[in-house]
């Protein structure tokens, strides 16, 4: 007896085989997903949440830990995986229909078994697969954008925490300096060389600075909580002070950065992928006018004639859908066109916003470098010199008490401003890297000039060589 499978047309078997084939873009996306999983969650992963993070941990260690432990980033990674799994669903046929019909009054047929399969019009499955692949590629770029955003947040939290550490150190040093000056004022007061008002003012200044130091120390728990949340560590466990060192020189040129932004930024790449997905959607909508096909086979069992045994027969079926609701199809095409235009506008708006953010980040970087140069080479050394002169002249009675206090306050303010500018520079570099889509766990972000990108030394490098 012949089975139903024997009667299935070769086209059915070919379609079933094609539905199970993995396309080249899908293989590439899976390979990139597996590479990312090995790099982020296997090579740098750790079962111990606090492993490797101590007082000697650098920014690189914090970034690696954040990448491998952040639940937000893991969520984006799983959404990427989910998008990949939608590709084989999109290219697959609908399930075939197996039906069994039993006739109560068995006059002509006792029972009948049918197997039918719907086949979309030519090109529909390929468009569905292409759209799903484009959406999966968008999910991949979205994951990279999430990782860059996490990078930016960790850099900010790390250097804000480091600035708090340095501000606490500088303020504590100045408080000890005031304690030493208080002894000088007390000695002069006892010797009748300074009025009691100077001693009171010194004590008030010391208490004021002690209050500022207390505020800085209290702030540590809050700053630590921000960083710990990004690292998926217990928020209320205070992290050790980080170990940081200023990054080397960076050449920042708007034209080069703008080109890098267009080439590397994952948010723009995700937007481009979504545009491609909507284009496939529009093409698929235009194929709604085409009928889908149905092929099938049936096996019928009928009573035999003249008392003979049951007889059987096999039937073949074919059919098509009748696309008559043109208003629905036109609405589907209009919807796809509107979504495509929205995707293009989203891309353009995102590009404009990223360029504005890049411009602001460049300003912050240059402003921070200017302040570093001003305070490090001029204001802080001069303020330290002025403080030493004021201390000597006050001890000999050549300067009044307020001159000494003003010199001490100026020196403290300039040192804190230098630390603030140093932290701002590193944060601005992180923002630049986030905008252009460029970072490196081994080194802090570096933006190269066009000459150095082509392998030739930049002007700054030539100057160093000379």
């Amino acid at each position: 007896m012949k089975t139903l499978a024997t009667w299935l047309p070769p086209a059915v078997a070919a379609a079933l085989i094609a539905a199970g084939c993995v396309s080249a873009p899908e293989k590439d996306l899976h390979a990139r997903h597996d590479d990312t999983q090995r790099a982020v969650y296997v090579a740098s992963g750790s079962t111990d949440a606090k492993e490797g993070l101590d007082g000697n941990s650098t920014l690189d260690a914090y970034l690696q830990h954040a990448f491998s432990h952040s639940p937000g980033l893991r969520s984006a990674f799983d959404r990427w995986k989910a998008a990949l799994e939608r590709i084989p669903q999109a290219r697959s046929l609908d399930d075939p229909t197996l039906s069994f019909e039993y006739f109560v009054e068995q006059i002509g047929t006792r029972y009948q078994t049918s197997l039918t399969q719907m086949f979309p019009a030519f090109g529909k499955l390929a468009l569905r697969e292409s759209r799903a692949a484009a959406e999966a590629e968008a999910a991949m770029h979205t994951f990279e954008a999430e990782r860059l955003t996490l990078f930016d947040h960790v850099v900010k939290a790390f250097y804000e925490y480091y600035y708090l550490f340095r501000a606490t150190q500088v303020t504590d040093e100045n408080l000890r300096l005031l304690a030493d000056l208080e002894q000088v004022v007390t000695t002069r007061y006892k010797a009748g060389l300074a009025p009691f008002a100077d001693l009171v003012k010194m004590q008030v200044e010391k208490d004021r600075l002690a209050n500022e130091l207390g505020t800085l120390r209290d702030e540590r728990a809050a700053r630590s909580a921000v960083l710990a949340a990004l690292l998926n560590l217990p928020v209320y466990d205070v992290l050790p002070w980080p170990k940081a060192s200023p990054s080397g020189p960076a050449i920042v040129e708007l034209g080069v950065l703008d080109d890098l932004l267009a080439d590397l930024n994952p948010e723009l790449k995700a937007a481009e992928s979504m545009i491609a997905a909507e284009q496939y959607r529009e093409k698929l909508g235009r194929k709604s006018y085409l009928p889908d096909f149905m092929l099938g086979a049936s096996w019928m069992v009928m009573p035999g004639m003249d008392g003979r045994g049951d007889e059987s027969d096999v039937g073949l079926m074919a059919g098509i859908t009748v696309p008559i609701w043109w208003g629905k199809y036109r609405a589907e095409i209009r919807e796809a066109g509107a979504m495509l235009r929205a995707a293009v506008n989203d891309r353009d708006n995102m590009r404009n916003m990223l360029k504005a953010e890049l411009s602001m980040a460049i300003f912050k970087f240059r402003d921070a470098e200017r302040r570093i140069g001003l305070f490090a080479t001029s204001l802080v050394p001069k303020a330290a010199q002025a403080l030493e002169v004021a201390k000597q002249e006050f001890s000999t009675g050549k300067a009044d008490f307020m001159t000494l206090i003003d010199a001490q306050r100026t020196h403290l303010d300039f040192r804190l401003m230098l630390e603030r500018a140093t932290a701002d520079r590193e944060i601005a570099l992180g923002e630049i890297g986030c905008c252009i889509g460029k970072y490196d766990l081994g080194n802090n972000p570096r933006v190269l000039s066009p000459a150095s990108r082509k392998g030739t030394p930049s002007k700054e490098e030539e100057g160093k060589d000379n």
Side-chain angles (χ1 to χ4, degrees), residues 340-386:
L340 175 59
R341 292 191 300 272
V344 172
N345 288 324
D346 285 341
R347 188 269 319 273
D348 294 342
N349 180 66
M350 184 178 300
R351 182 190 294 119
N352 293 335
M353 297 304 297
L354 286 170
K355 289 184 176 182
E357 293 175 5
L358 177 61
S359 179
M360 179 59 68
I362 292 174
F363 159 73
K364 292 178 180 178
F365 172 79
R366 291 174 175 169
D367 179 67
E369 285 213 319
R370 176 186 55 78
R371 287 183 285 138
I372 290 173
L374 176 64
F375 288 111
T377 62
S378 178
L379 295 184
V380 171
K382 290 179 180 178
Q385 184 180 7

Side-chain angles (χ1 to χ4, degrees), residues 32-99:
R32 297 176 71 172
H33 181 274
D34 294 340
D35 291 342
T36 302
Q37 185 173 26
R38 285 190 294 268
V40 177
Y41 295 108
V42 177
S44 60
S46 172
T47 56
D48 184 358
K50 292 186 178 180
E51 182 179 345
L53 294 181
D54 52 30
N56 294 320
S57 298
T58 62
L59 174 62
D60 293 344
Y62 278 83
L63 287 171
Q64 289 175 351
H65 187 96
F67 289 163
S68 59
H69 292 85
S70 169
L73 186 61
R74 186 73 201 207
S75 175
F77 186 75
D78 290 336
R79 284 194 294 271
W80 176 13
K81 178 63 174 177
L84 284 174
E85 298 303 334
R86 285 194 287 270
I87 300 177
Q89 298 176 54
R91 69 163 175 268
S92 299
L93 298 172
D94 293 336
D95 291 335
T97 301
L98 177 64
S99 61

Side-chain angles (χ1 to χ4, degrees), residues 153-454:
H153 289 169
V154 171
V155 168
K156 288 180 179 177
F158 179 88
Y159 279 105
E160 289 292 350
Y161 196 42
Y162 179 72
Y163 166 73
L164 181 64
F165 167 58
R166 291 293 301 136
T168 302
Q169 280 189 325
V170 171
T171 305
D172 186 58
E173 291 174 8
N174 276 265
L175 185 59
R176 292 197 299 269
L177 172 63
L178 283 181
D180 295 338
L181 293 177
E182 184 182 17
Q183 294 297 324
V184 176
V185 174
T186 301
T187 302
R188 288 179 55 80
Y189 167 71
K190 290 180 179 180
L193 300 176
F196 179 70
D198 286 354
L199 180 58
V200 174
K201 291 177 182 178
M202 173 59 72
Q203 292 172 347
V204 169
E205 185 68 18
K206 180 182 175 184
D207 291 342
R208 184 190 65 81
L209 197 57
N211 178 68
E212 293 181 2
L213 180 61
T215 300
L216 292 173
R217 287 173 174 169
D218 289 342
E219 188 181 352
R220 179 179 182 180
R223 290 293 180 186
S224 172
V226 173
L227 185 55
L230 295 170
L231 302 174
N232 195 26
L233 294 175
V235 173
Y236 299 120
D237 291 349
V238 178
L239 295 172
W241 290 119
K243 181 180 180 181
S245 57
S247 58
I251 303 172
V252 174
E253 296 182 7
L254 180 58
V256 178
L257 292 175
D258 189 66
D259 292 340
L260 289 174
L261 186 151
D263 294 339
L264 302 178
N265 185 273
E267 290 184 273
L268 288 180
K269 289 184 177 181
E272 293 288 353
S273 297
M274 288 307 301
I275 291 175
E278 295 302 336
Q279 288 173 338
Y280 289 125
R281 178 180 179 178
E282 186 179 38
K283 292 178 181 178
L284 186 60
R286 296 187 183 279
K287 287 186 175 291
S288 299
Y289 293 99
L290 300 179
D292 297 332
F293 300 88
M294 183 273 291
L295 295 177
S298 63
W299 179 46
M300 296 171 288
V301 177
M302 301 166 290
M305 302 296 292
D306 301 329
R308 289 180 297 178
D310 292 343
E311 297 179 357
S312 64
D313 194 6
V314 174
L316 299 179
M317 294 178 289
I320 62 171
T321 61
V322 183
I324 62 174
W325 310 115
W326 285 19
K328 180 183 72 172
Y329 308 139
R330 285 194 292 266
E332 184 179 352
I333 293 173
R334 291 195 300 269
E335 177 193 3
M339 292 300 296
L340 175 59
R341 292 191 300 272
V344 172
N345 288 324
D346 285 341
R347 188 269 319 273
D348 294 342
N349 180 66
M350 184 178 300
R351 182 190 294 119
N352 293 335
M353 297 304 297
L354 286 170
K355 289 184 176 182
E357 293 175 5
L358 177 61
S359 179
M360 179 59 68
I362 292 174
F363 159 73
K364 292 178 180 178
F365 172 79
R366 291 174 175 169
D367 179 67
E369 285 213 319
R370 176 186 55 78
R371 287 183 285 138
I372 290 173
L374 176 64
F375 288 111
T377 62
S378 178
L379 295 184
V380 171
K382 290 179 180 178
Q385 184 180 7
L387 177 59
E388 289 299 321
V389 171
K391 286 166 58 178
Q392 295 176 3
E393 291 183 348
F394 177 76
S395 61
T396 60
K398 294 182 179 179
D400 59 15
F401 176 76
M402 290 309 301
T403 301
L404 176 62
I405 291 299
D406 288 342
Q408 182 271 333
R409 287 179 181 175
T410 301
H411 183 248
L412 172 61
D413 290 344
F414 285 171
R415 290 190 63 187
L416 291 177
M417 290 178 183
L418 175 59
E419 296 297 337
R420 181 69 265 174
T422 302
D424 288 344
R425 180 185 186 274
E426 303 305 319
I427 292 174
L429 273 177
E431 291 178 354
I432 291 174
C434 184
C435 287
I436 66 174
K438 184 178 179 63
Y439 59 83
D440 184 0
L441 292 180
N443 300 286
N444 284 330
R446 294 291 179 272
V447 182
L448 302 179
S449 66
S452 58
R453 288 179 68 192
K454 297 177 182 178

Side-chain angles (χ1 to χ4, degrees), residues 125-154:
L125 280 183
L127 287 173
R128 291 175 187 172
E129 181 184 13
S130 298
R131 178 186 173 187
E135 291 175 345
E137 186 173 358
M140 175 188 68
H141 294 310
T142 299
F143 166 77
E144 291 298 335
E146 289 287 340
R147 185 153 61 149
L148 273 169
T149 300
L150 179 61
F151 162 80
D152 181 43
H153 289 169
V154 171

